[in-house]
Amino acid sequence: MEYEIIPVPTRILTSRDDIVEAVKEYGKGKYGPDDVICAAESVVAITQGMAMRCEEFKPGFLAKTLCHFFPSYGSISGWYCMQALIDTESNAKVLWAFIVGAVTKLLGKKGVFYQMAGYQARLIDDVTGTMPPYDKHIVYGPKEPFKVVKEMKEACGVYGAVIADVNDLKRAAIIGWTDGVDPDKVSKILIDNPFGNASQKTPICIIKNYRKA
């Protein structure tokens, strides 16, 4: 079944904004009690002050070495993103995750590094991944995503809310969702990336009539 998805235009949201208030302001009149509100994870993080300029990081030997072992389309293939992860988790944790991940990958099991290296390993966005002026920033994953979506749902009176990490490579992950929302189902609904985090400025979208469907 196809769902109607309504993108919600906003101005550029910054660390001076509150994502819940932004959803209420710009989504007013567009959502109802059967709908699910979706917010792009990078924009939620930006409103939480989780964006840092590259100059604030000092990539060390470990970051410069490990980043070469990751595919170029991934954020941590860059010096600064890898250092951002190391700063968050520690040299020892990231190195151990890399070693175990490399061994298990040789044995046919993928994704172990991201499981072991911590929450931010899957969510850090490199400088090319977010909207201007934050296209020159490293953006961490958002804090307390389940708390944020609960507040969003209650403030707007909708059926549910999610924070989604979606890109144009047909990859979609739901990192925070409210009760009654199936994250696997929503990730499939959002797979074509209805968000516009660049000049479109539509970091919020609404899945209409999710509960009825």
Side-chain angles (χ1 to χ4, degrees):
M1 175 181 178
E2 290 191 8
Y3 288 81
E4 182 185 4
I5 301 174
I6 299 178
V8 178
T10 71
R11 57 178 168 76
I12 292 176
L13 301 178
T14 73
S15 58
R16 294 186 293 273
D17 292 296
D18 178 286
I19 189 61
V20 176
E21 292 302 316
V23 169
K24 288 172 62 180
E25 177 182 354
Y26 292 101
K28 186 177 181 181
K30 298 177 181 177
Y31 54 73
D34 295 315
D35 302 341
V36 171
I37 291 173
C38 311
E41 57 91 18
S42 57
V43 175
V44 175
I46 286 169
T47 62
Q48 295 174 331
M50 298 292 285
M52 297 176 64
R53 291 189 65 88
C54 288
E55 305 91 89
E56 299 180 64
F57 298 97
K58 304 297 180 185
F61 175 78
L62 185 62
K64 292 179 180 180
T65 302
L66 294 187
C67 68
H68 292 295
F69 292 91
F70 292 85
S72 59
Y73 56 77
S75 290
I76 56 174
S77 64
W79 287 8
Y80 295 101
C81 256
M82 182 61 79
Q83 189 60 51
L85 176 61
I86 290 170
D87 289 350
T88 302
E89 300 295 343
S90 78
N91 278 308
K93 182 173 181 178
V94 173
L95 178 59
W96 179 241
F98 174 77
I99 293 170
V100 176
V103 172
T104 53
K105 189 173 183 179
L106 289 173
L107 297 174
K109 185 176 182 180
K110 298 181 179 180
V112 172
F113 171 83
Y114 295 96
Q115 294 171 12
M116 294 184 60
Y119 169 72
Q120 293 293 348
R122 301 183 299 275
L123 297 175
I124 291 176
D125 278 333
D126 205 352
V127 291
T128 58
T130 49
M131 73 174 71
Y134 293 100
D135 55 346
K136 296 178 174 61
H137 289 64
I138 301 295
V139 181
Y140 285 97
K143 298 179 288 187
E144 300 184 290
F146 287 92
K147 179 182 177 183
V148 174
V149 292
K150 182 180 179 182
E151 292 174 352
M152 205 179 295
K153 174 182 176 177
E154 292 174 352
C156 298
V158 291
Y159 176 71
V162 305
I163 296 173
D165 180 15
V166 187
N167 63 33
D168 292 330
L169 300 175
K170 299 288 186 178
R171 292 185 175 91
I174 308 304
I175 62 172
W177 60 92
T178 52
D179 292 343
V181 174
D182 181 343
D184 293 330
K185 182 178 181 180
V186 172
S187 68
K188 292 175 182 176
I189 295 170
L190 300 177
I191 197 68
D192 289 324
N193 194 9
F195 297 107
N197 290 354
S199 59
Q200 306 96 326
K201 294 193 287 292
T202 53
I204 301 161
C205 66
I206 300 164
I207 303 173
K208 296 297 294 180
N209 298 314
Y210 177 92
R211 174 163 54 181
K212 290 181 177 179

